[in-house]
Amino acid sequence: MTTNQEFMPRWASSPGATIQDLMVSKDVRSADVAEACGLGSDEFTRLLHGSIPLTAKIAESLASHLGGSVSFWLNREKRFRESEVIVEADQWVQSLPLKSMKKLAWLEVPRDWRARIDACLEFFGSDSLETWKHSYADQLQTVRFRTSPSYPNQVSSVSSWLRAGEIAHREFTGGSFDPDALFSALPEFRQLTRVADPEDFVPQLQVLAAKCGVSCVIVPAPEGCAASGASRVLGDGSGLIQLSGRYLSDDQFWFSFFHEVAHLLLHREAPIHVDGDPGAFETDSRESEANSFSADVLWPFDHRPSMRAAKKPSRRDIVRLASNAGTSPGIIIGQLQSSGVLNHAECNNLKRRYVRHGSKLLLKK
């Protein structure tokens, strides 16, 4: 997209700047130039700001009234539009979570700003900013973000995270997504919630998911990305569940996983689902449905004891409930907290906690 043989400023100067300089130096009224160009005052102002193109007809009028050749004005317009594209790409790069991308070893960040544009486009597998917009920004229009000062560049950060998931998915050989197989495998997935260590259950989870044509990858979220999970069916027909493990606890990890399973099974009409911090993402009926699906898989509603009249469960009660439900105490706690039986500060020491080692999750000892 860029070359090193020519000077490229990090700004775009429209032909309007030259027009204004010449009008001042030649003492020509803007109204006279606008009339000569066949433009109203508002249109002429837009021309000066670069928001409408400088055409061959306008170039002829400018050459007659301000000087310069027609080719000079057309070349001035061409250089401006080329610079405008590069400046927009530079602004896009500055919106990306470059520090996180470097720390997570997703990207070597060149010092030269022009080289950074090329490096970032290469990371996304795009040859231009327009291609990136079509592949990521347009796709993320289906994901509704909340306006949050904590996440000012959500589309750029989330798209970086999604791209890292696609790269992690590259070696997947599980074939096309099979919804029936995924639904039938739910009991086997659920059994894995009893396994404490991610080093043990994650490989089993990935093998089981692959048999259903689904790749499950764990990718840490970069700065500015509040996502905990995402799901989609890719162009090759395979399914992709992407988890960030951002809360580093077993109840959140498994709830996110089954939430994304729900989207793949129930909401395939949408091209992508991205879920996470409720302060950053809007919720709708599909999100509520996926939440209910996940909660019911983790601890079936029909098997839950009535907690309304009973006293608040003790630690021993929670361990017993988990054993009867065939899941982990942390998941039971998460569900009791979600339903309001426990507050969010109670019994958290029964949850299994994880730590990060690169992109892996490890059991916190």
Side-chain angles (χ1 to χ4, degrees):
M1 183 173 183
T2 64
T3 64
N4 293 321
Q5 284 72 38
E6 56 186 88
F7 171 71
M8 291 184 183
R10 296 181 80 168
W11 66 89
S13 172
S14 76
T18 304
I19 294 171
Q20 288 176 310
D21 288 343
L22 289 173
M23 286 192 302
V24 171
S25 66
K26 293 178 178 291
D27 194 23
V28 178
R29 295 192 316 151
S30 62
D32 293 336
V33 179
E35 183 179 359
C37 293
L39 301 174
S41 60
D42 289 344
E43 286 182 301
F44 187 63
T45 298
R46 293 172 61 200
L47 174 70
L48 296 180
H49 292 160
S51 56
I52 63 173
L54 194 159
T55 63
K57 182 178 179 180
I58 293 174
E60 290 176 4
S61 299
L62 292 174
S64 298
H65 285 76
L66 294 178
S69 65
V70 172
S71 62
F72 164 79
W73 288 109
L74 291 177
N75 285 331
R76 181 74 173 81
E77 169 73 8
K78 179 182 177 183
R79 289 196 301 272
F80 166 62
R81 297 302 171 186
E82 291 172 347
S83 297
E84 199 174 34
V85 170
I86 295 172
V87 169
E88 185 185 7
D90 180 40
Q91 293 171 343
W92 164 70
V93 167
Q94 293 180 58
S95 78
L96 295 172
L98 295 179
K99 289 183 179 179
S100 295
M101 294 169 76
K102 182 177 180 180
K103 182 179 179 181
L104 293 167
W106 297 352
L107 178 70
E108 287 293 331
V109 182
R111 297 185 65 179
D112 180 76
W113 68 275
R114 297 163 297 181
R116 280 199 296 273
I117 295 174
D118 292 333
C120 290
L121 288 172
E122 184 178 356
F123 169 77
F124 282 100
S126 302
D127 57 8
S128 68
L129 183 55
E130 286 302 313
T131 304
W132 175 84
K133 289 178 181 178
H134 177 72
S135 300
Y136 294 94
D138 292 350
Q139 188 180 63
L140 284 174
Q141 287 183 357
T142 62
V143 178
R144 297 191 300 175
F145 298 103
R146 295 184 189 274
T147 301
S148 169
S150 300
Y151 304 102
N153 299 315
Q154 291 174 96
V155 170
S156 294
S157 294
V158 171
S159 65
S160 300
W161 180 68
L162 292 174
R163 176 56 178 170
E166 293 171 359
I167 292 171
H169 170 81
R170 279 176 176 171
E171 297 182 4
F172 180 70
T173 57
S176 297
F177 170 48
D178 185 340
D180 293 334
L182 183 62
F183 182 81
S184 297
L186 287 176
E188 292 179 79
F189 284 121
R190 191 170 173 278
Q191 289 176 12
L192 293 177
T193 65
R194 297 282 292 175
V195 181
D197 196 331
E199 286 194 289
D200 294 327
F201 71 71
V202 168
Q204 297 180 62
L205 173 68
Q206 291 172 328
V207 169
L208 183 57
K211 293 178 180 178
C212 308
V214 176
S215 172
C216 183
V217 299
I218 299 173
V219 180
E223 181 182 1
C225 174
S228 57
S231 53
R232 49 197 154 144
V233 176
L234 300 177
D236 63 0
S238 62
L240 174 58
I241 290 177
Q242 182 172 340
L243 303 173
S244 68
R246 65 193 303 261
Y247 295 104
L248 299 175
S249 64
D250 65 336
D251 63 317
Q252 293 284 355
F253 177 90
W254 286 109
F255 188 87
S256 295
F257 171 74
F258 286 114
H259 184 101
E260 300 311 325
V261 168
H263 282 315
L264 285 180
L265 292 175
L266 305 176
H267 308 133
R268 293 194 297 279
E269 72 281 0
I272 188 169
H273 297 275
V274 183
D275 307 287
D277 190 332
F281 294 90
E282 297 281 1
T283 57
D284 58 21
S285 59
R286 290 179 298 189
E287 295 308 313
S288 298
E289 191 173 13
N291 284 342
S292 295
F293 179 97
S294 181
D296 190 42
V297 171
L298 289 169
W299 190 12
F301 295 133
D302 292 344
H303 296 165
R304 298 188 185 195
S306 175
M307 295 293 180
R308 292 183 179 178
K311 64 179 182 180
K312 187 174 290 188
S314 66
R315 289 167 56 91
R316 181 176 294 180
D317 292 332
I318 291 169
V319 172
R320 176 178 52 79
L321 288 169
S323 178
N324 292 341
T327 189
S328 74
I331 287 172
I332 299 299
I333 292 165
Q335 292 300 299
L336 292 174
Q337 290 173 340
S338 178
S339 61
V341 174
L342 297 177
N343 68 53
H344 288 280
E346 289 183 289
C347 300
N348 284 327
N349 58 353
L350 284 178
K351 294 181 181 180
R352 294 166 182 154
R353 301 291 181 177
Y354 308 140
V355 294
R356 294 195 187 280
H357 182 69
S359 62
K360 292 184 177 180
L361 295 178
L362 306 178
L363 183 66
K364 186 175 182 179
K365 305 295 186 181

